[in-house]
Amino acid sequence: MEILFLLIPIALVIVAAAVTGFWWATRDGQFDDLETPAVRILLDDKNTDESKK
């Protein structure tokens, strides 16, 4: 039963860190454009060394 006095505060700190990280990422613009990175791999890169060969 005494372990709950340790586990509950640790769980609250972990949840607070996750919420803070999500809040920081949202304010920093990490979730603004979710489509472009997925499509970028399909586009041809014309400035690579392999395309000059």
Side-chain angles (χ1 to χ4, degrees):
M1 186 70 179
E2 291 87 20
I3 193 70
L4 290 177
F5 294 124
L6 179 66
L7 290 179
I8 291 174
I10 290 174
L12 291 176
V13 168
I14 291 171
V15 168
V19 168
T20 302
F22 180 75
W23 178 77
W24 171 80
T26 304
R27 285 188 48 101
D28 198 39
Q30 296 291 319
F31 302 114
D32 285 347
D33 185 15
L34 298 177
E35 296 296 324
T36 302
V39 176
R40 189 175 297 154
I41 195 168
L42 300 174
L43 303 174
D44 288 333
D45 191 13
K46 297 183 172 126
N47 295 330
T48 61
D49 293 332
E50 293 180 3
S51 65
K52 295 179 183 177
K53 292 180 181 178

mmCIF file of all heavy atoms in Angstrom:
data_model
loop_
_atom_site.group_PDB
_atom_site.id
_atom_site.type_symbol
_atom_site.label_atom_id
_atom_site.label_comp_id
_atom_site.label_asym_id
_atom_site.label_seq_id
_atom_site.Cartn_x
_atom_site.Cartn_y
_atom_site.Cartn_z
ATOM 1 N N MET A 1 0.816 -1.193 0.000
ATOM 2 C CA MET A 1 0.000 0.000 0.000
ATOM 3 C C MET A 1 0.866 1.267 0.000
ATOM 4 O O MET A 1 0.492 2.265 -0.582
ATOM 5 C CB MET A 1 -0.933 -0.036 1.204
ATOM 6 C CG MET A 1 -1.930 1.066 1.245
ATOM 7 S SD MET A 1 -3.129 0.800 -0.059
ATOM 8 C CE MET A 1 -4.178 2.162 0.215
ATOM 9 N N GLU A 2 2.032 1.179 0.643
ATOM 10 C CA GLU A 2 2.908 2.347 0.704
ATOM 11 C C GLU A 2 3.497 2.688 -0.651
ATOM 12 O O GLU A 2 3.919 3.824 -0.880
ATOM 13 C CB GLU A 2 4.048 2.114 1.701
ATOM 14 C CG GLU A 2 3.607 2.064 3.138
ATOM 15 C CD GLU A 2 3.171 0.661 3.544
ATOM 16 O OE1 GLU A 2 3.562 -0.300 2.861
ATOM 17 O OE2 GLU A 2 2.426 0.534 4.521
ATOM 18 N N ILE A 3 3.539 1.707 -1.554
ATOM 19 C CA ILE A 3 4.098 1.948 -2.877
ATOM 20 C C ILE A 3 3.256 2.955 -3.657
ATOM 21 O O ILE A 3 3.757 3.661 -4.530
ATOM 22 C CB ILE A 3 4.257 0.617 -3.656
ATOM 23 C CG1 ILE A 3 5.119 0.807 -4.888
ATOM 24 C CG2 ILE A 3 2.907 0.077 -4.056
ATOM 25 C CD1 ILE A 3 6.548 1.058 -4.594
ATOM 26 N N LEU A 4 1.960 3.047 -3.338
ATOM 27 C CA LEU A 4 1.097 4.018 -4.014
ATOM 28 C C LEU A 4 1.522 5.449 -3.727
ATOM 29 O O LEU A 4 1.343 6.332 -4.562
ATOM 30 C CB LEU A 4 -0.356 3.805 -3.609
ATOM 31 C CG LEU A 4 -1.012 2.542 -4.141
ATOM 32 C CD1 LEU A 4 -2.431 2.426 -3.604
ATOM 33 C CD2 LEU A 4 -1.021 2.526 -5.642
ATOM 34 N N PHE A 5 2.095 5.685 -2.550
ATOM 35 C CA PHE A 5 2.574 7.024 -2.212
ATOM 36 C C PHE A 5 3.771 7.414 -3.072
ATOM 37 O O PHE A 5 4.083 8.596 -3.204
ATOM 38 C CB PHE A 5 2.947 7.110 -0.731
ATOM 39 C CG PHE A 5 1.768 6.967 0.177
ATOM 40 C CD1 PHE A 5 1.755 5.994 1.161
ATOM 41 C CD2 PHE A 5 0.669 7.798 0.050
ATOM 42 C CE1 PHE A 5 0.669 5.859 2.007
ATOM 43 C CE2 PHE A 5 -0.424 7.669 0.891
ATOM 44 C CZ PHE A 5 -0.428 6.697 1.873
ATOM 45 N N LEU A 6 4.424 6.462 -3.673
ATOM 46 C CA LEU A 6 5.538 6.729 -4.578
ATOM 47 C C LEU A 6 5.081 6.713 -6.041
ATOM 48 O O LEU A 6 5.480 7.573 -6.828
ATOM 49 C CB LEU A 6 6.642 5.676 -4.369
ATOM 50 C CG LEU A 6 7.865 5.808 -5.256
ATOM 51 C CD1 LEU A 6 8.622 7.081 -4.929
ATOM 52 C CD2 LEU A 6 8.746 4.592 -5.093
ATOM 53 N N LEU A 7 4.233 5.763 -6.398
ATOM 54 C CA LEU A 7 3.844 5.604 -7.793
ATOM 55 C C LEU A 7 2.918 6.705 -8.296
ATOM 56 O O LEU A 7 3.025 7.117 -9.455
ATOM 57 C CB LEU A 7 3.174 4.242 -7.992
ATOM 58 C CG LEU A 7 4.092 3.032 -7.891
ATOM 59 C CD1 LEU A 7 3.284 1.760 -8.079
ATOM 60 C CD2 LEU A 7 5.204 3.107 -8.911
ATOM 61 N N ILE A 8 2.028 7.180 -7.468
ATOM 62 C CA ILE A 8 1.096 8.224 -7.908
ATOM 63 C C ILE A 8 1.824 9.529 -8.234
ATOM 64 O O ILE A 8 1.589 10.105 -9.302
ATOM 65 C CB ILE A 8 -0.049 8.412 -6.894
ATOM 66 C CG1 ILE A 8 -0.952 7.178 -6.930
ATOM 67 C CG2 ILE A 8 -0.851 9.669 -7.188
ATOM 68 C CD1 ILE A 8 -2.034 7.163 -5.895
ATOM 69 N N PRO A 9 2.725 10.024 -7.394
ATOM 70 C CA PRO A 9 3.458 11.244 -7.777
ATOM 71 C C PRO A 9 4.344 11.046 -9.016
ATOM 72 O O PRO A 9 4.440 11.952 -9.856
ATOM 73 C CB PRO A 9 4.308 11.571 -6.552
ATOM 74 C CG PRO A 9 3.603 10.934 -5.426
ATOM 75 C CD PRO A 9 2.989 9.694 -5.983
ATOM 76 N N ILE A 10 4.943 9.873 -9.155
ATOM 77 C CA ILE A 10 5.761 9.614 -10.343
ATOM 78 C C ILE A 10 4.884 9.621 -11.598
ATOM 79 O O ILE A 10 5.248 10.198 -12.622
ATOM 80 C CB ILE A 10 6.524 8.283 -10.195
ATOM 81 C CG1 ILE A 10 7.621 8.431 -9.142
ATOM 82 C CG2 ILE A 10 7.112 7.839 -11.522
ATOM 83 C CD1 ILE A 10 8.334 7.141 -8.820
ATOM 84 N N ALA A 11 3.721 9.015 -11.510
ATOM 85 C CA ALA A 11 2.801 9.007 -12.650
ATOM 86 C C ALA A 11 2.337 10.419 -12.981
ATOM 87 O O ALA A 11 2.229 10.782 -14.160
ATOM 88 C CB ALA A 11 1.610 8.109 -12.349
ATOM 89 N N LEU A 12 2.071 11.236 -11.992
ATOM 90 C CA LEU A 12 1.651 12.611 -12.231
ATOM 91 C C LEU A 12 2.768 13.430 -12.877
ATOM 92 O O LEU A 12 2.498 14.272 -13.749
ATOM 93 C CB LEU A 12 1.193 13.264 -10.928
ATOM 94 C CG LEU A 12 -0.108 12.727 -10.344
ATOM 95 C CD1 LEU A 12 -0.407 13.380 -8.997
ATOM 96 C CD2 LEU A 12 -1.260 12.935 -11.318
ATOM 97 N N VAL A 13 4.007 13.194 -12.495
ATOM 98 C CA VAL A 13 5.140 13.898 -13.114
ATOM 99 C C VAL A 13 5.291 13.481 -14.570
ATOM 100 O O VAL A 13 5.521 14.323 -15.449
ATOM 101 C CB VAL A 13 6.432 13.633 -12.314
ATOM 102 C CG1 VAL A 13 7.660 14.103 -13.074
ATOM 103 C CG2 VAL A 13 6.359 14.306 -10.956
ATOM 104 N N ILE A 14 5.126 12.202 -14.869
ATOM 105 C CA ILE A 14 5.232 11.725 -16.243
ATOM 106 C C ILE A 14 4.110 12.304 -17.108
ATOM 107 O O ILE A 14 4.345 12.739 -18.243
ATOM 108 C CB ILE A 14 5.243 10.188 -16.279
ATOM 109 C CG1 ILE A 14 6.546 9.665 -15.677
ATOM 110 C CG2 ILE A 14 5.062 9.665 -17.692
ATOM 111 C CD1 ILE A 14 6.576 8.174 -15.476
ATOM 112 N N VAL A 15 2.904 12.338 -16.581
ATOM 113 C CA VAL A 15 1.782 12.916 -17.325
ATOM 114 C C VAL A 15 2.000 14.405 -17.544
ATOM 115 O O VAL A 15 1.745 14.924 -18.649
ATOM 116 C CB VAL A 15 0.450 12.645 -16.585
ATOM 117 C CG1 VAL A 15 -0.673 13.473 -17.159
ATOM 118 C CG2 VAL A 15 0.117 11.170 -16.649
ATOM 119 N N ALA A 16 2.493 15.101 -16.537
ATOM 120 C CA ALA A 16 2.763 16.530 -16.685
ATOM 121 C C ALA A 16 3.842 16.776 -17.738
ATOM 122 O O ALA A 16 3.743 17.723 -18.526
ATOM 123 C CB ALA A 16 3.181 17.132 -15.347
ATOM 124 N N ALA A 17 4.863 15.933 -17.782
ATOM 125 C CA ALA A 17 5.910 16.072 -18.794
ATOM 126 C C ALA A 17 5.358 15.815 -20.196
ATOM 127 O O ALA A 17 5.710 16.511 -21.152
ATOM 128 C CB ALA A 17 7.059 15.116 -18.489
ATOM 129 N N ALA A 18 4.484 14.826 -20.344
ATOM 130 C CA ALA A 18 3.894 14.533 -21.652
ATOM 131 C C ALA A 18 2.994 15.676 -22.110
ATOM 132 O O ALA A 18 3.040 16.068 -23.283
ATOM 133 C CB ALA A 18 3.107 13.229 -21.578
ATOM 134 N N VAL A 19 2.190 16.219 -21.220
ATOM 135 C CA VAL A 19 1.314 17.342 -21.577
ATOM 136 C C VAL A 19 2.151 18.567 -21.929
ATOM 137 O O VAL A 19 1.857 19.277 -22.897
ATOM 138 C CB VAL A 19 0.316 17.632 -20.436
ATOM 139 C CG1 VAL A 19 -0.406 18.949 -20.642
ATOM 140 C CG2 VAL A 19 -0.669 16.493 -20.305
ATOM 141 N N THR A 20 3.202 18.822 -21.182
ATOM 142 C CA THR A 20 4.079 19.953 -21.471
ATOM 143 C C THR A 20 4.766 19.775 -22.821
ATOM 144 O O THR A 20 4.870 20.731 -23.599
ATOM 145 C CB THR A 20 5.127 20.111 -20.362
ATOM 146 O OG1 THR A 20 4.452 20.282 -19.111
ATOM 147 C CG2 THR A 20 6.022 21.305 -20.611
ATOM 148 N N GLY A 21 5.232 18.578 -23.117
ATOM 149 C CA GLY A 21 5.858 18.319 -24.408
ATOM 150 C C GLY A 21 4.894 18.489 -25.560
ATOM 151 O O GLY A 21 5.238 19.055 -26.601
ATOM 152 N N PHE A 22 3.664 18.024 -25.406
ATOM 153 C CA PHE A 22 2.651 18.200 -26.444
ATOM 154 C C PHE A 22 2.306 19.666 -26.622
ATOM 155 O O PHE A 22 2.173 20.157 -27.748
ATOM 156 C CB PHE A 22 1.400 17.395 -26.103
ATOM 157 C CG PHE A 22 0.317 17.527 -27.134
ATOM 158 C CD1 PHE A 22 0.424 16.866 -28.342
ATOM 159 C CD2 PHE A 22 -0.784 18.312 -26.893
ATOM 160 C CE1 PHE A 22 -0.558 16.988 -29.307
ATOM 161 C CE2 PHE A 22 -1.778 18.439 -27.843
ATOM 162 C CZ PHE A 22 -1.665 17.779 -29.058
ATOM 163 N N TRP A 23 2.171 20.396 -25.528
ATOM 164 C CA TRP A 23 1.873 21.818 -25.593
ATOM 165 C C TRP A 23 3.001 22.571 -26.294
ATOM 166 O O TRP A 23 2.753 23.431 -27.140
ATOM 167 C CB TRP A 23 1.664 22.357 -24.174
ATOM 168 C CG TRP A 23 1.398 23.830 -24.126
ATOM 169 C CD1 TRP A 23 0.240 24.467 -24.415
ATOM 170 C CD2 TRP A 23 2.327 24.845 -23.749
ATOM 171 N NE1 TRP A 23 0.393 25.818 -24.244
ATOM 172 C CE2 TRP A 23 1.667 26.080 -23.840
ATOM 173 C CE3 TRP A 23 3.661 24.824 -23.347
ATOM 174 C CZ2 TRP A 23 2.299 27.280 -23.543
ATOM 175 C CZ3 TRP A 23 4.273 26.019 -23.058
ATOM 176 C CH2 TRP A 23 3.595 27.234 -23.154
ATOM 177 N N TRP A 24 4.253 22.248 -25.976
ATOM 178 C CA TRP A 24 5.400 22.896 -26.613
ATOM 179 C C TRP A 24 5.433 22.598 -28.111
ATOM 180 O O TRP A 24 5.663 23.498 -28.922
ATOM 181 C CB TRP A 24 6.698 22.420 -25.956
ATOM 182 C CG TRP A 24 7.894 22.885 -26.698
ATOM 183 C CD1 TRP A 24 8.472 24.121 -26.652
ATOM 184 C CD2 TRP A 24 8.653 22.127 -27.627
ATOM 185 N NE1 TRP A 24 9.543 24.165 -27.494
ATOM 186 C CE2 TRP A 24 9.683 22.956 -28.103
ATOM 187 C CE3 TRP A 24 8.567 20.832 -28.101
ATOM 188 C CZ2 TRP A 24 10.607 22.517 -29.035
ATOM 189 C CZ3 TRP A 24 9.496 20.397 -29.027
ATOM 190 C CH2 TRP A 24 10.498 21.235 -29.480
ATOM 191 N N ALA A 25 5.203 21.357 -28.493
ATOM 192 C CA ALA A 25 5.225 20.988 -29.904
ATOM 193 C C ALA A 25 4.104 21.677 -30.670
ATOM 194 O O ALA A 25 4.295 22.082 -31.820
ATOM 195 C CB ALA A 25 5.125 19.476 -30.059
ATOM 196 N N THR A 26 2.949 21.823 -30.060
ATOM 197 C CA THR A 26 1.838 22.493 -30.720
ATOM 198 C C THR A 26 2.129 23.975 -30.909
ATOM 199 O O THR A 26 1.896 24.526 -31.980
ATOM 200 C CB THR A 26 0.544 22.309 -29.910
ATOM 201 O OG1 THR A 26 0.313 20.917 -29.738
ATOM 202 C CG2 THR A 26 -0.637 22.923 -30.606
ATOM 203 N N ARG A 27 2.664 24.622 -29.904
ATOM 204 C CA ARG A 27 2.983 26.045 -30.011
ATOM 205 C C ARG A 27 4.152 26.287 -30.953
ATOM 206 O O ARG A 27 4.238 27.348 -31.561
ATOM 207 C CB ARG A 27 3.312 26.631 -28.640
ATOM 208 C CG ARG A 27 2.090 26.839 -27.781
ATOM 209 C CD ARG A 27 2.417 27.594 -26.519
ATOM 210 N NE ARG A 27 3.208 28.779 -26.739
ATOM 211 C CZ ARG A 27 2.725 30.010 -26.769
ATOM 212 N NH1 ARG A 27 1.457 30.206 -26.597
ATOM 213 N NH2 ARG A 27 3.522 31.045 -26.952
ATOM 214 N N ASP A 28 5.049 25.319 -31.087
ATOM 215 C CA ASP A 28 6.230 25.468 -31.941
ATOM 216 C C ASP A 28 5.908 25.210 -33.406
ATOM 217 O O ASP A 28 6.745 25.445 -34.268
ATOM 218 C CB ASP A 28 7.322 24.503 -31.460
ATOM 219 C CG ASP A 28 8.684 24.874 -31.984
ATOM 220 O OD1 ASP A 28 8.986 26.078 -32.039
ATOM 221 O OD2 ASP A 28 9.445 23.958 -32.329
ATOM 222 N N GLY A 29 4.720 24.710 -33.708
ATOM 223 C CA GLY A 29 4.308 24.504 -35.086
ATOM 224 C C GLY A 29 4.649 23.134 -35.639
ATOM 225 O O GLY A 29 4.711 22.953 -36.855
ATOM 226 N N GLN A 30 4.860 22.163 -34.803
ATOM 227 C CA GLN A 30 5.223 20.829 -35.256
ATOM 228 C C GLN A 30 4.080 20.126 -35.980
ATOM 229 O O GLN A 30 4.328 19.247 -36.792
ATOM 230 C CB GLN A 30 5.662 19.967 -34.068
ATOM 231 C CG GLN A 30 6.899 20.463 -33.391
ATOM 232 C CD GLN A 30 8.124 20.306 -34.267
ATOM 233 O OE1 GLN A 30 8.290 19.302 -34.936
ATOM 234 N NE2 GLN A 30 8.970 21.316 -34.271
ATOM 235 N N PHE A 31 2.857 20.521 -35.724
ATOM 236 C CA PHE A 31 1.696 19.854 -36.312
ATOM 237 C C PHE A 31 1.006 20.713 -37.366
ATOM 238 O O PHE A 31 -0.124 20.427 -37.743
ATOM 239 C CB PHE A 31 0.692 19.480 -35.217
ATOM 240 C CG PHE A 31 1.274 18.590 -34.161
ATOM 241 C CD1 PHE A 31 1.408 19.048 -32.863
ATOM 242 C CD2 PHE A 31 1.692 17.311 -34.459
ATOM 243 C CE1 PHE A 31 1.946 18.232 -31.880
ATOM 244 C CE2 PHE A 31 2.229 16.493 -33.483
ATOM 245 C CZ PHE A 31 2.349 16.960 -32.201
ATOM 246 N N ASP A 32 1.667 21.758 -37.848
ATOM 247 C CA ASP A 32 1.042 22.655 -38.816
ATOM 248 C C ASP A 32 0.845 21.992 -40.174
ATOM 249 O O ASP A 32 -0.194 22.143 -40.799
ATOM 250 C CB ASP A 32 1.871 23.921 -38.982
ATOM 251 C CG ASP A 32 1.728 24.858 -37.792
ATOM 252 O OD1 ASP A 32 0.823 24.636 -36.979
ATOM 253 O OD2 ASP A 32 2.539 25.793 -37.688
ATOM 254 N N ASP A 33 1.848 21.283 -40.664
ATOM 255 C CA ASP A 33 1.772 20.688 -41.998
ATOM 256 C C ASP A 33 2.070 19.204 -41.885
ATOM 257 O O ASP A 33 3.217 18.796 -41.765
ATOM 258 C CB ASP A 33 2.766 21.366 -42.933
ATOM 259 C CG ASP A 33 2.651 20.874 -44.350
ATOM 260 O OD1 ASP A 33 1.637 20.234 -44.674
ATOM 261 O OD2 ASP A 33 3.563 21.135 -45.135
ATOM 262 N N LEU A 34 1.026 18.386 -41.936
ATOM 263 C CA LEU A 34 1.201 16.947 -41.791
ATOM 264 C C LEU A 34 1.264 16.230 -43.136
ATOM 265 O O LEU A 34 1.614 15.056 -43.191
ATOM 266 C CB LEU A 34 0.058 16.368 -40.950
ATOM 267 C CG LEU A 34 -0.029 16.890 -39.518
ATOM 268 C CD1 LEU A 34 -1.243 16.299 -38.831
ATOM 269 C CD2 LEU A 34 1.230 16.573 -38.751
ATOM 270 N N GLU A 35 0.930 16.904 -44.235
ATOM 271 C CA GLU A 35 0.870 16.255 -45.539
ATOM 272 C C GLU A 35 2.196 16.328 -46.299
ATOM 273 O O GLU A 35 2.598 15.359 -46.940
ATOM 274 C CB GLU A 35 -0.229 16.902 -46.390
ATOM 275 C CG GLU A 35 -1.617 16.718 -45.813
ATOM 276 C CD GLU A 35 -2.038 15.263 -45.773
ATOM 277 O OE1 GLU A 35 -1.692 14.518 -46.696
ATOM 278 O OE2 GLU A 35 -2.704 14.880 -44.806
ATOM 279 N N THR A 36 2.887 17.446 -46.265
ATOM 280 C CA THR A 36 4.079 17.637 -47.089
ATOM 281 C C THR A 36 5.197 16.641 -46.787
ATOM 282 O O THR A 36 5.783 16.102 -47.721
ATOM 283 C CB THR A 36 4.589 19.085 -46.948
ATOM 284 O OG1 THR A 36 3.540 19.965 -47.329
ATOM 285 C CG2 THR A 36 5.784 19.323 -47.832
ATOM 286 N N PRO A 37 5.543 16.356 -45.532
ATOM 287 C CA PRO A 37 6.623 15.398 -45.302
ATOM 288 C C PRO A 37 6.322 14.005 -45.866
ATOM 289 O O PRO A 37 7.237 13.314 -46.299
ATOM 290 C CB PRO A 37 6.746 15.344 -43.780
ATOM 291 C CG PRO A 37 6.231 16.647 -43.322
ATOM 292 C CD PRO A 37 5.142 17.004 -44.284
ATOM 293 N N ALA A 38 5.069 13.617 -45.903
ATOM 294 C CA ALA A 38 4.725 12.301 -46.438
ATOM 295 C C ALA A 38 4.839 12.267 -47.953
ATOM 296 O O ALA A 38 5.141 11.223 -48.540
ATOM 297 C CB ALA A 38 3.311 11.927 -46.022
ATOM 298 N N VAL A 39 4.635 13.381 -48.604
ATOM 299 C CA VAL A 39 4.667 13.439 -50.061
ATOM 300 C C VAL A 39 6.069 13.782 -50.565
ATOM 301 O O VAL A 39 6.418 13.479 -51.698
ATOM 302 C CB VAL A 39 3.629 14.475 -50.570
ATOM 303 C CG1 VAL A 39 3.680 14.651 -52.063
ATOM 304 C CG2 VAL A 39 2.243 14.065 -50.135
ATOM 305 N N ARG A 40 6.889 14.380 -49.733
ATOM 306 C CA ARG A 40 8.210 14.848 -50.148
ATOM 307 C C ARG A 40 9.087 13.712 -50.676
ATOM 308 O O ARG A 40 9.896 13.921 -51.581
ATOM 309 C CB ARG A 40 8.907 15.529 -48.970
ATOM 310 C CG ARG A 40 10.186 16.228 -49.373
ATOM 311 C CD ARG A 40 10.788 16.988 -48.221
ATOM 312 N NE ARG A 40 9.852 18.025 -47.812
ATOM 313 C CZ ARG A 40 9.809 18.525 -46.587
ATOM 314 N NH1 ARG A 40 10.614 18.083 -45.665
ATOM 315 N NH2 ARG A 40 8.946 19.463 -46.289
ATOM 316 N N ILE A 41 8.934 12.518 -50.157
ATOM 317 C CA ILE A 41 9.751 11.398 -50.606
ATOM 318 C C ILE A 41 9.392 10.992 -52.037
ATOM 319 O O ILE A 41 10.213 10.430 -52.760
ATOM 320 C CB ILE A 41 9.622 10.200 -49.645
ATOM 321 C CG1 ILE A 41 10.729 9.217 -49.897
ATOM 322 C CG2 ILE A 41 8.262 9.558 -49.771
ATOM 323 C CD1 ILE A 41 10.854 8.166 -48.833
ATOM 324 N N LEU A 42 8.200 11.309 -52.485
ATOM 325 C CA LEU A 42 7.770 10.947 -53.836
ATOM 326 C C LEU A 42 8.264 11.931 -54.895
ATOM 327 O O LEU A 42 8.268 11.608 -56.077
ATOM 328 C CB LEU A 42 6.247 10.866 -53.897
ATOM 329 C CG LEU A 42 5.613 9.848 -52.956
ATOM 330 C CD1 LEU A 42 4.106 9.967 -53.011
ATOM 331 C CD2 LEU A 42 6.065 8.449 -53.286
ATOM 332 N N LEU A 43 8.675 13.121 -54.478
ATOM 333 C CA LEU A 43 9.129 14.128 -55.423
ATOM 334 C C LEU A 43 10.570 13.862 -55.841
ATOM 335 O O LEU A 43 11.393 13.433 -55.041
ATOM 336 C CB LEU A 43 9.009 15.520 -54.806
ATOM 337 C CG LEU A 43 7.611 15.913 -54.333
ATOM 338 C CD1 LEU A 43 7.662 17.246 -53.619
ATOM 339 C CD2 LEU A 43 6.655 15.965 -55.502
ATOM 340 N N ASP A 44 10.881 14.142 -57.098
ATOM 341 C CA ASP A 44 12.248 13.988 -57.586
ATOM 342 C C ASP A 44 13.095 15.153 -57.110
ATOM 343 O O ASP A 44 12.699 16.309 -57.199
ATOM 344 C CB ASP A 44 12.281 13.942 -59.112
ATOM 345 C CG ASP A 44 11.735 12.650 -59.650
ATOM 346 O OD1 ASP A 44 11.814 11.645 -58.930
ATOM 347 O OD2 ASP A 44 11.229 12.651 -60.789
ATOM 348 N N ASP A 45 14.286 14.847 -56.635
ATOM 349 C CA ASP A 45 15.221 15.877 -56.221
ATOM 350 C C ASP A 45 16.210 16.090 -57.354
ATOM 351 O O ASP A 45 17.048 15.241 -57.628
ATOM 352 C CB ASP A 45 15.931 15.459 -54.937
ATOM 353 C CG ASP A 45 16.718 16.594 -54.329
ATOM 354 O OD1 ASP A 45 16.516 17.742 -54.759
ATOM 355 O OD2 ASP A 45 17.524 16.333 -53.419
ATOM 356 N N LYS A 46 16.166 17.213 -58.007
ATOM 357 C CA LYS A 46 16.977 17.468 -59.186
ATOM 358 C C LYS A 46 18.377 17.978 -58.854
ATOM 359 O O LYS A 46 19.192 18.155 -59.738
ATOM 360 C CB LYS A 46 16.248 18.431 -60.100
ATOM 361 C CG LYS A 46 14.963 17.859 -60.604
ATOM 362 C CD LYS A 46 14.297 18.783 -61.551
ATOM 363 C CE LYS A 46 13.162 18.070 -62.138
ATOM 364 N NZ LYS A 46 11.942 18.292 -62.253
ATOM 365 N N ASN A 47 18.684 18.218 -57.588
ATOM 366 C CA ASN A 47 19.965 18.767 -57.206
ATOM 367 C C ASN A 47 20.910 17.749 -56.590
ATOM 368 O O ASN A 47 21.876 18.122 -55.967
ATOM 369 C CB ASN A 47 19.744 19.931 -56.233
ATOM 370 C CG ASN A 47 19.028 21.072 -56.867
ATOM 371 O OD1 ASN A 47 19.162 21.294 -58.071
ATOM 372 N ND2 ASN A 47 18.264 21.810 -56.099
ATOM 373 N N THR A 48 20.668 16.475 -56.779
ATOM 374 C CA THR A 48 21.549 15.471 -56.192
ATOM 375 C C THR A 48 22.671 15.127 -57.149
ATOM 376 O O THR A 48 22.614 15.398 -58.351
ATOM 377 C CB THR A 48 20.770 14.173 -55.864
ATOM 378 O OG1 THR A 48 20.239 13.664 -57.070
ATOM 379 C CG2 THR A 48 19.664 14.441 -54.881
ATOM 380 N N ASP A 49 23.720 14.550 -56.623
ATOM 381 C CA ASP A 49 24.867 14.151 -57.450
ATOM 382 C C ASP A 49 24.517 13.009 -58.394
ATOM 383 O O ASP A 49 25.087 12.883 -59.474
ATOM 384 C CB ASP A 49 26.037 13.753 -56.556
ATOM 385 C CG ASP A 49 26.588 14.927 -55.778
ATOM 386 O OD1 ASP A 49 26.464 16.074 -56.271
ATOM 387 O OD2 ASP A 49 27.138 14.694 -54.701
ATOM 388 N N GLU A 50 23.611 12.143 -58.000
ATOM 389 C CA GLU A 50 23.228 11.015 -58.849
ATOM 390 C C GLU A 50 22.499 11.457 -60.104
ATOM 391 O O GLU A 50 22.587 10.801 -61.135
ATOM 392 C CB GLU A 50 22.367 10.032 -58.062
ATOM 393 C CG GLU A 50 23.120 9.344 -56.947
ATOM 394 C CD GLU A 50 22.220 8.385 -56.193
ATOM 395 O OE1 GLU A 50 21.061 8.225 -56.567
ATOM 396 O OE2 GLU A 50 22.729 7.802 -55.231
ATOM 397 N N SER A 51 21.780 12.563 -60.019
ATOM 398 C CA SER A 51 21.050 13.018 -61.203
ATOM 399 C C SER A 51 21.975 13.636 -62.232
ATOM 400 O O SER A 51 21.605 13.784 -63.387
ATOM 401 C CB SER A 51 19.960 14.010 -60.801
ATOM 402 O OG SER A 51 20.551 15.182 -60.271
ATOM 403 N N LYS A 52 23.205 14.007 -61.847
ATOM 404 C CA LYS A 52 24.161 14.586 -62.784
ATOM 405 C C LYS A 52 24.894 13.533 -63.588
ATOM 406 O O LYS A 52 25.555 13.832 -64.558
ATOM 407 C CB LYS A 52 25.178 15.442 -62.012
ATOM 408 C CG LYS A 52 24.536 16.648 -61.358
ATOM 409 C CD LYS A 52 25.566 17.427 -60.590
ATOM 410 C CE LYS A 52 24.904 18.595 -59.873
ATOM 411 N NZ LYS A 52 25.870 19.336 -59.060
ATOM 412 N N LYS A 53 24.818 12.265 -63.191
ATOM 413 C CA LYS A 53 25.552 11.200 -63.882
ATOM 414 C C LYS A 53 24.849 10.752 -65.120
ATOM 415 O O LYS A 53 23.726 10.808 -65.360
ATOM 416 C CB LYS A 53 25.747 10.008 -62.953
ATOM 417 C CG LYS A 53 26.677 10.351 -61.828
ATOM 418 C CD LYS A 53 26.856 9.137 -60.932
ATOM 419 C CE LYS A 53 27.769 9.497 -59.780
ATOM 420 N NZ LYS A 53 27.941 8.403 -58.879
#
